[in-house]
Amino acid sequence: MRIYQLFSTLLACGIGFLISINSYSENSVLTQPIAEAEQSQNTVKNSTYLNEINDEDIMAISDELKAILDLNVRPIKRIEAKTIRLHEILFGSNYYNIRYAFDDTRIANDVFEARTGNCISLAALYVASARYVGLDAYFQSVDIEQTWEKRDGHYVVPGHVNARIAHPSKTIVVEFISTYFLETLSQKKSRKISDKRVFAEFYNNLGMEAFDAGHLERAETLLAKAVSKDKKLDFAWSNLGVIYKHQGKLDQAEKAYLKAQKLNKRNPTFANNLYVLYRETDQHKKAEALAKRVIKYNRKNPYYLAQLAQTDMATKHYDSAVEHLLNAIKIKPEEEQFYVELSKGYYYKGDLEGTKKALIGAATAANMPENQARYNHKVKLIEQYVNEAQLNTSRQAQF
């Protein structure tokens, strides 16, 4: 789902929608923006993806793949067995082993060639292949728990798309990524979506990838294409507003945000993005009308809570900082930096046991061995210090 004025983008799958990052306090007073050190690692795909792709390209499959399907899948008569065999051929580790990648929106044939893609791309490949071998396949959007992914200057709120196969007596849901399990997804609300909607979401994702790579004009072109394909795609309108805002087209940004909000009044992300725009353009009355809802929404965002903690530590309100960080960790326990900041909060409080526990958490969450080693070394130093202090206290008592 760069922290200056925090906005968010929404992705259909893999990427979703953008949330504006706003460094306001709980009483809605703007403070200085917080700079982020991380840089986007995304690279923009070639011009075919950016400017020349057509709807028919998204689900086109090669003659090579058709031949494979004709030989290995088409002869199977039973719907369920054919569905499973197709999934095994495309995604099984003993076959083509096509893998999920969060930021990798590709047309179906390129997914097959590259052996990678995000969920909307994998769904396009599977649905196209399933239809080719005679299965009644369609896309569905899955309502997953809202999460935030931190990017360079914004948050991404991912969505999820998978596939469903029509069957006379049972439900067959086709999933691609290990993050979501069928047992869990079966309990989530899902709805059938048209190919037209999928194509619009596809262009939305490409637009967001272009945005992350710093190509604003290309991002605008792709997002404009998305909303032209489906004028009711609310999050694409919001994302287009983000692009306009970064281009300095503030009136157009407001119109795009308002369009998104009109289409879906229940999505608080659109109110958040409008709030940030109004604050930055000194439209304080309009901003205040949205403030209560926006603050409530951001209270569920772990990175926003971490921002509050940073503000608290800067003003030496360490108890409050620790509370914010503990709440952030409850929402996203895998975020290494939350534990690092928590260790600082405990340290400034003089709570070495809390500092130690936070560093152990950071080591557990760390992906890089050198970070794990650094945190573990600090834990040992704390233990050594505490042991020496206890020994000195014991000696003084004996004396």
Side-chain angles (χ1 to χ4, degrees):
M1 250 77 89
R2 300 167 276 201
I3 301 185
Y4 310 117
Q5 302 298 321
L6 243 204
F7 57 88
S8 41
T9 52
L10 294 84
L11 285 175
C13 167
I15 312 179
F17 53 89
L18 292 169
I19 302 172
S20 291
I21 299 178
N22 186 26
S23 52
Y24 50 80
S25 64
E26 284 289 83
N27 60 5
S28 304
V29 178
L30 283 173
T31 61
Q32 290 299 310
I34 302 170
E36 290 287 28
E38 296 178 3
Q39 297 296 321
S40 173
Q41 299 299 315
N42 293 337
T43 57
V44 176
K45 298 181 179 71
N46 61 39
S47 60
T48 300
Y49 277 93
L50 296 174
N51 299 317
E52 301 168 9
I53 192 170
N54 296 311
D55 293 355
E56 56 267 25
D57 297 325
I58 295 173
M59 296 180 64
I61 58 176
S62 66
D63 291 340
E64 177 190 358
L65 178 54
K66 289 177 181 178
I68 293 167
L69 299 177
D70 286 337
L71 179 64
N72 294 279
V73 183
R74 186 180 294 278
I76 301 172
K77 301 301 182 183
R78 292 177 57 245
I79 294 175
E80 185 175 356
K82 183 178 283 190
T83 299
I84 293 171
R85 181 60 171 163
L86 175 58
H87 192 282
E88 184 180 43
I89 292 291
L90 294 176
F91 308 112
S93 58
N94 293 327
Y95 293 89
Y96 288 96
N97 196 31
I98 297 171
R99 311 317 298 164
Y100 169 79
F102 183 79
D103 284 343
D104 199 6
T105 307
R106 294 177 178 270
I107 58 178
N109 193 54
D110 279 2
V111 172
F112 181 69
E113 294 293 333
R115 307 287 194 265
T116 184
N118 62 12
C119 63
I120 200 168
S121 306
L122 300 183
L125 174 63
Y126 189 90
V127 170
S129 300
R131 290 175 181 174
Y132 176 73
V133 297
L135 292 168
D136 184 3
Y138 57 89
F139 298 94
Q140 64 175 13
S141 177
V142 182
D143 291 340
I144 59 174
E145 184 178 355
Q146 192 168 69
T147 61
W148 290 262
E149 299 293 334
K150 194 175 178 183
R151 295 294 176 83
D152 183 18
H154 63 277
Y155 301 140
V156 170
V157 181
H160 187 56
V161 174
N162 62 17
R164 186 180 288 268
I165 303 297
H167 190 283
S169 63
K170 63 182 67 175
T171 298
I172 303 178
V173 176
V174 181
E175 193 48 70
F176 318 103
I177 59 178
S178 59
T179 305
Y180 306 105
F181 297 95
L182 286 179
E183 293 81 1
T184 302
L185 282 175
S186 65
Q187 301 171 11
K188 301 289 185 181
K189 183 179 179 180
S190 61
R191 62 191 180 279
K192 181 179 179 178
I193 54 177
S194 67
D195 289 3
K196 175 184 174 183
R197 167 59 66 100
V198 169
F199 296 159
E201 293 184 357
F202 187 92
Y203 297 126
N204 171 80
N205 281 19
L206 287 179
M208 290 300 92
E209 290 178 15
F211 171 75
D212 272 345
H215 296 267
L216 295 181
E217 290 185 8
R218 291 171 178 172
E220 180 186 352
T221 297
L222 287 159
L223 284 161
K225 192 170 185 177
V227 296
S228 72
K229 294 294 177 185
D230 189 341
K231 291 181 173 57
K232 294 183 178 181
L233 189 60
D234 49 12
F235 60 79
W237 281 107
S238 180
N239 290 345
L240 183 58
V242 169
I243 304 304
Y244 286 145
K245 180 173 175 288
H246 273 254
Q247 293 173 320
K249 302 174 182 178
L250 301 184
D251 289 342
Q252 289 173 265
E254 181 183 14
K255 290 177 182 177
Y257 289 154
L258 289 171
K259 177 71 172 179
Q261 193 171 52
K262 182 179 179 181
L263 289 168
N264 186 353
K265 292 182 174 61
R266 294 177 299 175
N267 193 320
T269 300
F270 308 149
N272 182 86
N273 287 356
L274 267 173
Y275 177 89
V276 172
L277 177 66
Y278 290 149
R279 279 297 183 189
E280 290 181 347
T281 54
D282 296 325
Q283 300 181 68
H284 297 296
K285 288 186 178 180
K286 289 183 178 180
E288 286 303 321
L290 299 169
K292 185 175 180 180
R293 186 182 184 199
V294 168
I295 290 172
K296 181 179 179 181
Y297 167 65
N298 279 313
R299 275 287 181 181
K300 300 176 183 178
N301 181 342
Y303 296 103
Y304 171 74
L305 295 174
Q307 280 186 271
L308 293 180
Q310 287 182 334
T311 301
D312 285 336
M313 280 201 268
T315 55
K316 299 183 179 181
H317 292 90
Y318 302 125
D319 288 336
S320 179
V322 166
E323 181 181 356
H324 286 315
L325 287 163
L326 288 172
N327 287 330
I329 288 169
K330 285 181 182 178
I331 299 170
K332 194 164 187 178
E334 69 274 18
E335 180 58 66
E336 172 186 348
Q337 194 59 34
F338 294 163
Y339 295 96
V340 174
E341 295 303 316
L342 181 61
S343 72
K344 295 177 184 178
Y346 278 128
Y347 180 80
Y348 291 137
K349 285 180 61 178
D351 184 346
L352 290 181
E353 184 62 27
T355 305
K356 174 184 168 182
K357 289 180 179 179
L359 288 169
I360 291 172
T364 302
N367 293 319
M368 299 178 65
E370 54 267 36
N371 286 353
Q372 293 176 340
R374 186 169 72 253
Y375 302 141
N376 287 329
H377 177 65
K378 289 182 179 181
V379 168
K380 289 180 179 178
L381 290 177
I382 291 173
E383 291 174 341
Q384 181 180 348
Y385 174 81
V386 171
N387 289 337
E388 289 178 353
Q390 290 175 343
L391 182 61
N392 289 335
T393 300
S394 175
R395 286 174 177 170
Q396 289 174 1
Q398 290 175 3
F399 179 78

